[in-house]
Amino acid sequence: MNNTPKLSEERLRVIENIEKAIAEGDTFRKVELSDPVIGEEDVKRVILPFDNLRRGPIARVKALIARWLAEAMTKKFNKDTEIVGLENALSVKGGAIITANHYGITDSTPPRILAKACGKGKKFHIIVQQTNVFMKGLFGFLMKNCNTMPVSPSPSYMARNFTPALKRLLSEESFVLIYPEQEMWFNYKRPRPYRDGAFRFASTNGVPIIPTFTEMRECAGEYDENGFLRVKHILHIMPPIYPDPKLSHRENTEAMRQREYEARRALYESLYGESPDAPFDPRRHIAGYPEEAERQREILNLQVTKST
């Protein structure tokens, strides 16, 4: 009897979107099929007045419930997760920005373990895309309430709400998680190019970057609910990167971004034994990609990487 779960057609179509984005040189592209779509009125109604500091009593209660749920999820999804290099995070005194690769809806849980180990359990904040605040269900509740801060294209929101709130949180010695790759790419193993935001925020607030990279290893014969091989996670914490007081914010932003990206690429090569620039192949670069996925993609008439 075959106990392998049926392959998720949605995940296969997301992988096709990833393959197309790489072929067209757009590594910041949204690839998920069901991301919320919002308009200007949604931004005015929800994002502009968003309580990033949880000042209101209702917001504080919701945040408390959300943190409890997040802790429970962290334990559930990280029973065999390994942390390597924790001493690098423990060396940081005060506030910091954590950078991480963005590969799944629960990928903030390994950095949450890092924060808790550093005594920052209640001072762990996550910067999310503004559309995530409009998600439904449990994850929607967490995106709205679990010490999250939406980032937005709105200059008014960023100047009057987000930036002052971030400054205060970092001055209170919080750890703030940012995904420089911007968009979530399902189980994508390789490092992608970065936006500047995390490094600009670190420079302007005078705090270090704690670079992390989550390695993903397949568990043979074990499958998840999407029909993919179950993945074991290893969070690698690299040495912190501090802004140089002799440089301008623009120079620091570029220097820190480049140092972090080079460190992550070098780590990837040492972990996976290949260049991050190798031609894309989902069998090597999508964690948990099962053998039967290629045949299923052909049946669905999706783009398929040919064997070489």
Side-chain angles (χ1 to χ4, degrees):
M1 182 177 178
N2 185 5
N3 294 321
T4 304
K6 181 180 178 181
L7 274 172
S8 165
E9 181 178 337
E10 179 178 341
R11 292 300 92 196
L12 294 177
R13 293 190 182 279
V14 166
I15 291 169
E16 181 190 37
N17 287 344
I18 291 173
E19 192 157 359
K20 288 179 178 178
I22 292 170
E24 295 168 14
D26 185 2
T27 57
F28 297 117
R29 182 182 299 177
K30 282 185 177 292
V31 297
E32 290 294 315
L33 307 182
S34 55
D35 278 356
V37 177
I38 64 174
E40 290 184 13
E41 289 303 315
D42 296 308
V43 173
K44 290 178 182 178
R45 177 176 55 86
V46 176
I47 301 300
L48 295 186
F50 197 86
D51 188 1
N52 282 309
L53 296 176
R54 273 70 189 180
R55 291 190 179 95
I58 295 177
R60 288 173 183 256
V61 171
K62 287 183 176 180
L64 183 64
I65 295 170
R67 285 199 304 271
W68 181 84
L69 289 170
E71 288 290 340
M73 292 176 64
T74 297
K75 291 178 181 178
K76 176 181 178 181
F77 291 115
N78 294 277
K79 292 179 180 178
D80 58 356
T81 294
E82 295 180 27
I83 307 293
V84 178
L86 180 60
E87 66 277 5
N88 290 319
L90 289 170
S91 72
V92 173
K93 309 302 179 185
I97 288 175
I98 301 171
T99 51
N101 46 325
H102 202 2
Y103 57 85
I105 198 166
T106 62
D107 57 16
S108 66
T109 56
R112 185 176 293 278
I113 297 173
L114 177 166
K116 189 171 183 179
C118 293
K120 306 285 187 178
K122 295 181 180 179
K123 291 187 174 184
F124 178 63
H125 300 262
I126 308 171
I127 291 180
V128 301
Q129 291 287 326
Q130 65 175 6
T131 52
N132 289 356
V133 174
F134 295 86
M135 291 175 66
K136 305 295 184 182
L138 174 60
F139 282 103
F141 177 80
L142 293 174
M143 289 294 173
K144 295 180 188 72
N145 300 292
C146 195
N147 283 7
T148 51
M149 300 177 62
V151 65
S152 171
S154 166
S156 173
Y157 164 78
M158 294 300 290
R160 299 177 185 178
N161 187 341
F162 180 91
T163 300
L166 179 62
K167 181 178 181 179
R168 177 168 172 176
L169 291 172
L170 291 171
S171 71
E172 294 174 347
E173 303 188 352
S174 295
F175 279 2
V176 180
L177 172 64
I178 300 181
Y179 300 101
E181 295 168 336
Q182 184 171 300
E183 299 297 338
M184 186 187 87
W185 281 20
F186 171 70
N187 278 15
Y188 188 73
K189 293 181 177 181
R190 303 193 290 187
R192 290 179 273 147
Y194 295 158
R195 296 295 193 194
D196 289 342
F199 311 97
R200 185 173 66 253
F201 299 148
S203 178
T204 55
N205 288 282
V207 300
I209 294 285
I210 301 176
T212 73
F213 181 76
T214 300
E215 174 190 0
M216 290 174 270
R217 294 181 186 170
E218 289 83 3
C219 300
E222 299 180 37
Y223 293 85
D224 64 18
E225 68 278 5
N226 293 309
F228 283 68
L229 288 167
R230 191 177 73 80
V231 172
K232 172 184 170 68
H233 298 100
I234 302 95
L235 180 71
H236 295 267
I237 307 168
M238 293 169 276
I241 300 172
Y242 290 83
D244 186 341
K246 298 178 182 178
L247 299 180
S248 68
H249 290 316
R250 178 176 292 184
E251 291 168 334
N252 258 321
T253 296
E254 176 57 25
M256 295 174 78
R257 183 190 65 80
Q258 191 62 32
R259 283 179 61 192
E260 206 276 21
Y261 188 51
E262 288 175 357
R264 192 178 297 206
R265 286 172 60 87
L267 177 61
Y268 174 87
E269 286 197 33
S270 70
L271 294 174
Y272 293 106
E274 69 163 19
S275 167
D277 301 319
F280 175 71
D281 186 332
R283 293 160 294 189
R284 294 202 312 275
H285 303 135
I286 300 295
Y289 192 82
E291 291 183 7
E292 56 268 32
E294 292 295 284
R295 184 177 65 85
Q296 188 64 24
R297 291 176 74 189
E298 288 180 343
I299 292 172
L300 295 171
N301 197 29
L302 301 180
Q303 181 172 324
V304 178
T305 301
K306 300 300 181 183
S307 300
T308 56

